[in-house]
Amino acid sequence: MQHKSKLPQVGTTIFSVMSALAKEHQAINLSQGFPNFESDKKLMDFVTKAMQSGYNQYAPMPGNTELLKAIANKYEKLYNTSYHPESEITVTAGATQAIYTIISAFVKADDEVIIFTPAYDCYEPAITIHNGKTIPIQLHAPSYCIDWDIVKSKISAKTKMIIINTPHNPSGTVLTKTDLLKLQELTANTDIIVLSDEVYEHIIFDNESHQSICLFPELKKRSFITASFGKTFHNTGWKMGYCCAPKDLMIEFRKVHQFNVFSVNHPMQKGLADYLQEPSRYLELSGFYQEKRDLFLELIKDSRFDFIPAKGTYFQVLDFSKITKENDVEFAKRLTKEHKIAAIPLSVFNENKKDDNMLRFCFAKTDETLKQAAEILNKI
Ligand SMILES: Cc1ncc(COP(=O)(O)O)c(C=O)c1O
């Protein structure tokens, strides 16, 4: 039987490709974005305790009540804003599921969705599968800042949604208050939904503060925030996340969520609820990763790679223009095979595979791994 693919352009993600290549060649894997150290044992103990105390059947569809309250508390304390725990927050199987479900719930055939490339790779396929049209706006190395005049020229009556991501994967840049105000101005008096992917909200450096969409009341009214516990608590394999939005948007989200996922892992939700009672557990994350970024960059400062220090996330992009004329995919593969270090070529996130000679390295690694990686990079 012949099936016409709904996603003919989609192959295996670059993350799987590079991680498999790293494994095959026993290379240090700084490609895929996950820590190579363990989550806090205290959190694992809370989850174990939850399993032993009967949290083993379906959680309520929107999420465990204590976890929803803990998330609402976080927004209250950090951003002085409120999301009602019963009606405006839903716990999801990672941010990816939240993003897919938001797009499912709102994007109809021929609706336009503006994304900024380089973009995290789950946005576009979700838009395509719902017969929406992706309108990519290419950001340029090395600053990757948004030209709002271009955004203005792309907004039309067909624009259903704009997806932003700050701190930004893969570039490590962040949106400023001026950026968010500009977005607010450009979308004022429209029904455009903003999907604000804030999975790295707690990883922001040099005393900058995270510009959550919820800080901008006119935007908050029309926006979803997506978040990931995996990024915050070093357990990407748990695939736990959530989203927040005003009630009218969340009602539509839940219509899809309840028939797609219904509810997510209950003991982990209860464990996370207990763990979130102590805010230092996420507030100390920026300092923790800033030390790793600084260590990595200090170690490679004399290498032939150029860089602007990442402002957030656990990714650092390195410019290899002084090293080779190869395209970034070829260079990334050769680095893995010959030099035993794996990174992600940025062109895969770009419009028309634009190649700026940039590779993305994940520094969510032990200091020992970062030292080994730097030793290799200094010899290239
Ligand atoms: C920008 C961005 N959004 C969403 C996700 C997905 O998060 P999760 O693992 O919680 O699904 C990632 C993971 O790498 C990401 O980098």
Short mmCIF file of all heavy atoms in Angstrom, two decimals, residues 117-118 124 136-138 347 349-354:
data_model
loop_
_atom_site.label_atom_id
_atom_site.label_comp_id
_atom_site.label_asym_id
_atom_site.label_seq_id
_atom_site.Cartn_x
_atom_site.Cartn_y
_atom_site.Cartn_z
N THR A 117 13.76 32.09 12.34
CA THR A 117 14.80 31.07 12.14
C THR A 117 16.17 31.69 12.39
O THR A 117 16.34 32.88 12.08
CB THR A 117 14.72 30.49 10.72
OG1 THR A 117 14.75 31.57 9.78
CG2 THR A 117 13.47 29.67 10.51
N PRO A 118 17.17 30.97 12.94
CA PRO A 118 17.10 29.56 13.29
C PRO A 118 16.07 29.28 14.37
O PRO A 118 16.04 29.97 15.38
CB PRO A 118 18.53 29.26 13.79
CG PRO A 118 19.09 30.58 14.23
CD PRO A 118 18.47 31.59 13.35
N GLU A 124 7.75 23.99 12.92
CA GLU A 124 7.27 23.96 11.54
C GLU A 124 6.46 22.70 11.19
O GLU A 124 5.38 22.81 10.59
CB GLU A 124 8.43 24.16 10.56
CG GLU A 124 7.92 24.28 9.14
CD GLU A 124 8.91 24.85 8.17
OE1 GLU A 124 10.06 25.13 8.55
OE2 GLU A 124 8.52 25.00 6.99
N PRO A 136 8.61 32.10 7.74
CA PRO A 136 9.86 32.22 8.49
C PRO A 136 10.49 33.59 8.34
O PRO A 136 10.45 34.19 7.26
CB PRO A 136 10.76 31.16 7.83
CG PRO A 136 10.20 30.97 6.48
CD PRO A 136 8.78 31.42 6.46
N ILE A 137 11.03 34.10 9.41
CA ILE A 137 11.82 35.34 9.34
C ILE A 137 13.23 34.97 9.79
O ILE A 137 13.43 34.52 10.93
CB ILE A 137 11.23 36.45 10.24
CG1 ILE A 137 9.82 36.82 9.72
CG2 ILE A 137 12.15 37.67 10.28
CD1 ILE A 137 9.13 37.92 10.52
N GLN A 138 14.17 35.13 8.86
CA GLN A 138 15.53 34.70 9.15
C GLN A 138 16.27 35.74 10.00
O GLN A 138 16.30 36.92 9.67
CB GLN A 138 16.29 34.48 7.82
CG GLN A 138 17.73 34.01 7.98
CD GLN A 138 17.84 32.63 8.61
OE1 GLN A 138 17.19 31.67 8.19
NE2 GLN A 138 18.68 32.51 9.64
N SER A 347 22.83 25.51 10.33
CA SER A 347 22.05 25.64 9.09
C SER A 347 20.76 24.83 9.13
O SER A 347 19.78 25.19 8.49
CB SER A 347 22.88 25.23 7.87
OG SER A 347 23.20 23.85 7.96
N PHE A 349 18.59 24.67 11.27
CA PHE A 349 17.49 25.43 11.88
C PHE A 349 17.12 26.64 11.03
O PHE A 349 16.24 27.42 11.40
CB PHE A 349 17.89 25.99 13.25
CG PHE A 349 18.36 24.98 14.24
CD1 PHE A 349 19.71 24.80 14.49
CD2 PHE A 349 17.46 24.22 14.98
CE1 PHE A 349 20.16 23.89 15.45
CE2 PHE A 349 17.89 23.32 15.93
CZ PHE A 349 19.24 23.15 16.16
N ASN A 350 17.85 26.86 9.93
CA ASN A 350 17.68 28.10 9.15
C ASN A 350 16.78 27.93 7.96
O ASN A 350 16.59 26.81 7.44
CB ASN A 350 19.05 28.59 8.66
CG ASN A 350 19.83 29.31 9.74
OD1 ASN A 350 19.24 29.79 10.71
ND2 ASN A 350 21.13 29.39 9.58
N GLU A 351 16.29 29.07 7.46
CA GLU A 351 15.52 29.10 6.23
C GLU A 351 16.46 28.75 5.07
O GLU A 351 17.58 29.28 5.00
CB GLU A 351 14.97 30.54 6.10
CG GLU A 351 14.03 30.81 4.98
CD GLU A 351 12.88 29.83 4.89
OE1 GLU A 351 12.68 29.02 5.79
OE2 GLU A 351 12.20 29.86 3.86
N ASN A 352 16.02 27.86 4.20
CA ASN A 352 16.83 27.42 3.05
C ASN A 352 18.23 26.96 3.45
O ASN A 352 19.20 27.15 2.72
CB ASN A 352 16.95 28.53 2.00
CG ASN A 352 15.59 28.96 1.50
OD1 ASN A 352 14.71 28.11 1.33
ND2 ASN A 352 15.40 30.25 1.31
N LYS A 353 18.35 26.40 4.66
CA LYS A 353 19.62 25.84 5.16
C LYS A 353 20.76 26.86 5.08
O LYS A 353 21.91 26.52 4.77
CB LYS A 353 19.99 24.57 4.38
CG LYS A 353 18.93 23.48 4.38
CD LYS A 353 19.08 22.55 5.57
CE LYS A 353 18.01 21.51 5.67
NZ LYS A 353 16.72 21.97 6.22
N LYS A 354 20.44 28.12 5.34
CA LYS A 354 21.46 29.18 5.31
C LYS A 354 22.64 28.80 6.22
O LYS A 354 22.44 28.45 7.38
CB LYS A 354 20.82 30.49 5.79
CG LYS A 354 21.74 31.69 5.80
CD LYS A 354 20.90 32.93 6.18
CE LYS A 354 21.69 34.21 6.11
NZ LYS A 354 22.56 34.42 7.25
#
